[in-house]
Amino acid sequence: MALLLSLQPPFFSSKPLSLHPQRANLFKTHNRLAVKCLVKDPGHVSSLEKQRWENVLSTLASLYPVYVTVGGAIACVKPSAFEWFVKRGPASYSFSLGLIMLAMGLTLELKELVGIFKEKPFSIMFGCVAQYTIMPVFGTLVSKALGLPPSLSVGLILLGCCPGGTASNVVTLIAQGDVPLSIVMTVCTTLGAVLLTPFLTKILAGAYVPVDALGLSISTLQVVVAPILLGSYIQTAFPSVVKAVIPFAPLLAVLTSSLLASSVFSENFVRLQSSLTNAASSSVDMKVVLLAVILLHFAGFFVGYLSAMVCGFKEKQRRAISIEVGMQNSSLGVVLATSHFSSPLVALPPALSAVVMNIMGSSLGFVWRYINPSDLNQQAEIHD
């Protein structure tokens, strides 16, 4: 310490001190205090180090589109790479979904989830209505505009009639959207799928697709509702523990979601290859099918955001609604398509969606991560 304090710059030498002794003593005292703070406050350095690691974890979590793209590529080249996970299904799928929702629950307080029903009932209702109008309608419009054959049209419409997926909650977190609203919308649209998915598919595609009401409801409670409530309870009961692990929660949710999406895609890749063979023999252009899936999800993201903006929702709610509408439960679509239709082409749009949707949604979340929603709200207020 004495050595550090003795190394004063020439400004504090004896000659200048004789001109302004009081001012010089003030500077000298201030300089000593600064040196003491640097030496005796290691907590400041520790805080900077912690903040640096939190920024690294946050950046890694935002790379969701990279993880999904790489996982999808591996699933195409070597589907057996995910066999260790697939062969343990459906338990491994349920556990992964539960882990994702537990990580989401850790970021929320229980009063936030309960309060959203009182504070934002219109937001919940609007999001659910948007989910079951925008996607089914555009599934029908896109299939007709591109002239898809009947089997592929049914598959695209079925995909549009599916509820929102849990991946939307992860993407909403990355995008700085309204996570509680996203989670409640996922729960409500999934429970609503018991009646609305078969009803809308029958009306728009002319094919009745029964949904296991009891099974879907129990699954929703097990892998969505219960883990979220558990995570919220843990946050309230053990705040110090949650504070230590919360920086890792988004990255854990992103990696688990990427593994789940890639595994679902790899499991259906053999079926997808069969569909591709049938598509080739039926003179179906795969580029058109891929374009149809991309257009459907783009319509969900864009029209979902636009409709929320027109109805006066704030930026965080707009993002949540846009992502929730644009990201479907494609796994449910694949299961329904393979269970109730003889043509493997019906499962082709949902199978492609498993990867395409996650890449599109996570890319949108990555962009929104660097745009502060409060800034856009302030700009809107200025224009108004």
Side-chain angles (χ1 to χ4, degrees):
M1 177 69 71
L3 177 61
L4 288 174
L5 292 176
S6 65
L7 295 177
Q8 302 295 332
F11 178 79
F12 298 105
S13 62
S14 58
K15 291 182 180 179
L17 284 175
S18 62
L19 295 175
H20 302 285
Q22 293 181 347
R23 187 181 300 178
N25 286 331
L26 278 174
F27 284 130
K28 193 171 184 179
T29 303
H30 176 75
N31 200 44
R32 282 176 177 159
L33 289 173
V35 173
K36 286 181 180 180
C37 289
L38 289 173
V39 175
K40 294 185 178 182
D41 190 16
H44 179 67
V45 178
S46 176
S47 177
L48 291 176
E49 186 72 13
K50 181 182 177 182
Q51 185 178 2
R52 186 175 70 86
W53 276 108
E54 288 180 354
N55 290 336
V56 170
L57 291 172
S58 178
T59 302
L60 290 175
S62 69
L63 298 178
Y64 190 4
V66 177
Y67 305 142
V68 177
T69 303
V70 172
I74 294 174
C76 290
V77 176
K78 192 178 180 181
S80 60
F82 298 96
E83 186 176 352
W84 63 274
F85 188 83
V86 172
K87 69 181 181 181
R88 290 174 172 80
S92 59
Y93 292 163
S94 298
F95 176 78
S96 299
L97 287 171
L99 188 62
I100 293 170
M101 301 318 294
L102 177 63
M104 294 294 98
L106 289 175
T107 66
L108 301 170
E109 293 184 7
L110 189 59
K111 61 181 180 181
E112 287 184 274
L113 288 173
V114 175
I116 194 171
F117 288 97
K118 298 179 180 179
E119 298 171 4
K120 303 175 183 177
F122 178 68
S123 301
I124 299 171
M125 186 183 301
F126 178 88
C128 293
V129 172
Q131 175 73 54
Y132 282 113
T133 53
I134 295 173
M135 294 299 279
V137 168
F138 274 95
T140 306
L141 293 177
V142 170
S143 63
K144 289 183 177 181
L146 297 180
L148 296 180
S151 296
L152 290 173
S153 295
V154 171
L156 192 69
I157 293 171
L158 176 61
L159 173 62
C161 294
C162 286
T166 54
S168 63
N169 309 139
V170 181
V171 174
T172 301
L173 178 65
I174 296 173
Q176 303 185 69
D178 192 331
V179 178
L181 175 61
S182 176
I183 291 174
V184 171
M185 283 177 59
T186 298
V187 174
C188 292
T189 57
T190 302
L191 294 175
V194 171
L195 296 175
L196 293 174
T197 296
F199 176 72
L200 291 171
T201 307
K202 176 64 177 177
I203 291 178
L204 298 175
Y208 181 73
V209 182
V211 177
D212 182 4
L214 181 62
L216 187 60
S217 300
I218 293 175
S219 177
T220 302
L221 292 174
Q222 288 178 336
V223 304
V224 179
V225 178
I228 290 172
L229 294 179
L230 177 61
S232 299
Y233 169 77
I234 292 174
Q235 188 198 60
T236 304
F238 308 100
S240 58
V241 176
V242 172
K243 186 177 180 180
V245 302
I246 200 66
F248 299 91
L251 180 59
L252 175 64
V254 164
L255 293 177
T256 306
S257 184
S258 301
L259 172 63
L260 189 61
S262 302
S263 299
V264 169
F265 184 70
S266 68
E267 183 182 13
N268 292 280
F269 186 71
V270 175
R271 189 180 296 112
L272 182 60
Q273 285 181 316
S274 173
S275 300
L276 291 172
T277 303
N278 284 313
S281 62
S282 303
S283 300
V284 174
D285 189 352
M286 278 305 303
K287 294 180 180 178
V288 175
V289 181
L290 181 61
L291 177 62
V293 173
I294 292 174
L295 288 176
L296 175 62
H297 288 297
F298 177 81
F301 292 126
F302 180 74
V303 179
Y305 182 89
L306 189 63
S307 60
M309 182 177 66
V310 170
C311 289
F313 290 101
K314 292 187 178 296
E315 180 64 20
K316 290 175 74 72
Q317 285 76 50
R318 295 176 199 169
R319 295 182 183 185
I321 292 171
S322 170
I323 293 169
E324 188 68 27
V325 172
M327 299 189 73
Q328 302 295 88
N329 190 339
S330 54
S331 301
L332 178 62
V334 171
V335 170
L336 295 176
T338 54
S339 300
H340 303 289
F341 296 95
S342 58
S343 173
L345 289 177
V346 178
L348 181 55
L352 284 174
S353 170
V355 171
V356 172
M357 169 195 71
N358 278 283
I359 293 175
M360 293 178 66
S362 57
S363 299
L364 179 61
F366 179 82
V367 173
W368 270 337
R369 177 179 181 265
Y370 294 98
I371 303 175
N372 194 327
S374 60
D375 293 342
L376 295 181
N377 287 330
Q378 291 174 0
Q379 291 177 10
E381 291 174 0
I382 292 174
H383 288 304
D384 291 339

